[in-house]
């Protein structure tokens, strides 16, 4: 739901901020484990979380795929214990992390939007580097088209303004 709202907001902002605005994407990483919490004082006091759990969640985000929520095995285990196995999509390849080695990760799919009726695995789980490159090329072409459309729209507005000034 959050991803859909972000997509809607960026498309609405695109008119005011330009065509690159809708290129904004969201990646989320989740890990479960112990943390240390505290309030840091300074110009502005702020609540902060510390620990390996926070660092691992950050790595889940940075190694994730745009518009997906990536989970560690620990978080997946908690979801399985809660009877939510159907929310999990195993990532086919393991992800390498500095200081942690290769980890099996999962994508969260609460609505089953990436599942097919005849298969247990999601298309996400079969995502390889070639697919990511193809998706990036498609995004580049979409962006180029949006830039062209936006430029044409701005130019049309400017021409209309010139026409109105000349009529006066």
């Amino acid at each position: 739901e959050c991803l859909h709202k972000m997509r809607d907001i960026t498309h609405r902002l695109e008119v005011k901020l330009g065509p690159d605005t809708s290129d904004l994407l969201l990646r989320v990483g989740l890990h479960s484990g112990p943390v240390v919490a505290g309030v840091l004082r300074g110009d502005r006091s702020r609540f902060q979380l510390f620990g390996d759990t926070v660092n691992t969640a950050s790595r889940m985000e940075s190694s994730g795929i745009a518009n997906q929520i990536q989970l560690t095995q620990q978080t997946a285990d908690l979801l399985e214990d809660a009877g939510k196995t159907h929310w999990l999509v195993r990532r086919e390849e393991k992800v390498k992390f500095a200081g942690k080695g290769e980890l099996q990760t999962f994508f969260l799919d609460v609505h089953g939007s990436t599942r097919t009726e005849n298969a247990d695995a999601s298309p996400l789980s079969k995502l390889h580097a070639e697919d990511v490159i193809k998706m990036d090329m498609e995004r580049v072409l979409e962006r180029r088209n949006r830039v062209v459309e936006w430029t044409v729209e701005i130019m049309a507005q400017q021409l209309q303004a010139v026409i109105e000034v000349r009529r006066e």
Side-chain angles (χ1 to χ4, degrees), residues 82-151:
K84 303 296 182 185
T85 306
H86 59 284
W87 286 4
L88 300 172
V89 177
R90 181 182 295 269
R91 189 168 179 167
E92 189 172 279
E93 72 281 355
K94 291 187 177 183
V95 183
K96 292 181 183 178
F97 295 103
K100 296 212 173 269
E102 288 189 350
L103 298 179
Q104 177 62 60
T105 63
F106 298 81
F107 292 109
L108 185 67
D109 185 15
V110 273
H111 298 295
S113 59
T114 58
R115 297 187 189 281
T116 60
E117 290 183 25
N118 297 330
D120 293 332
S122 160
L124 284 175
S125 65
K126 295 180 174 40
L127 206 55
H128 294 293
E130 294 170 2
D131 298 321
V132 172
I133 291 169
K134 183 178 177 185
M135 288 168 44
D136 285 345
M137 287 303 298
E138 289 171 359
R139 283 190 57 234
V140 166
L141 292 174
E142 287 174 16
R143 179 178 176 208
R144 185 196 68 189
N145 290 341
R146 284 195 315 274
V147 169
V148 168
E149 289 171 10
W150 184 74
T151 304

Side-chain angles (χ1 to χ4, degrees), residues 2-154:
C2 182
L3 294 172
H4 295 294
K5 286 183 181 180
M6 176 151 171
R7 201 172 304 129
D8 291 343
I9 289 169
T10 56
H11 282 293
R12 279 185 276 149
L13 287 173
E14 186 174 38
V15 175
K16 293 180 183 178
L17 301 177
D20 290 346
T21 305
S22 64
D23 286 342
L24 293 173
L25 301 172
L26 185 65
R27 284 188 317 222
V28 178
L30 296 178
H31 178 62
S32 301
V35 295
V36 175
V39 176
L40 296 178
R41 303 262 182 227
D43 292 342
R44 293 172 152 189
S45 295
R46 63 186 183 276
F47 183 74
Q48 193 90 28
L49 294 175
F50 303 94
D52 185 59
T53 299
V54 176
N55 295 336
T56 303
S58 175
R59 290 175 181 170
M60 286 294 105
E61 177 273 326
S62 63
S63 67
I65 295 173
N67 291 332
Q68 297 296 323
I69 300 171
Q70 184 170 226
L71 316 169
T72 60
Q73 181 70 57
Q74 289 86 338
T75 303
D77 291 343
L78 291 172
L79 287 170
E80 286 177 8
D81 292 346
K84 303 296 182 185
T85 306
H86 59 284
W87 286 4
L88 300 172
V89 177
R90 181 182 295 269
R91 189 168 179 167
E92 189 172 279
E93 72 281 355
K94 291 187 177 183
V95 183
K96 292 181 183 178
F97 295 103
K100 296 212 173 269
E102 288 189 350
L103 298 179
Q104 177 62 60
T105 63
F106 298 81
F107 292 109
L108 185 67
D109 185 15
V110 273
H111 298 295
S113 59
T114 58
R115 297 187 189 281
T116 60
E117 290 183 25
N118 297 330
D120 293 332
S122 160
L124 284 175
S125 65
K126 295 180 174 40
L127 206 55
H128 294 293
E130 294 170 2
D131 298 321
V132 172
I133 291 169
K134 183 178 177 185
M135 288 168 44
D136 285 345
M137 287 303 298
E138 289 171 359
R139 283 190 57 234
V140 166
L141 292 174
E142 287 174 16
R143 179 178 176 208
R144 185 196 68 189
N145 290 341
R146 284 195 315 274
V147 169
V148 168
E149 289 171 10
W150 184 74
T151 304
V152 168
E153 184 178 326
I154 296 298

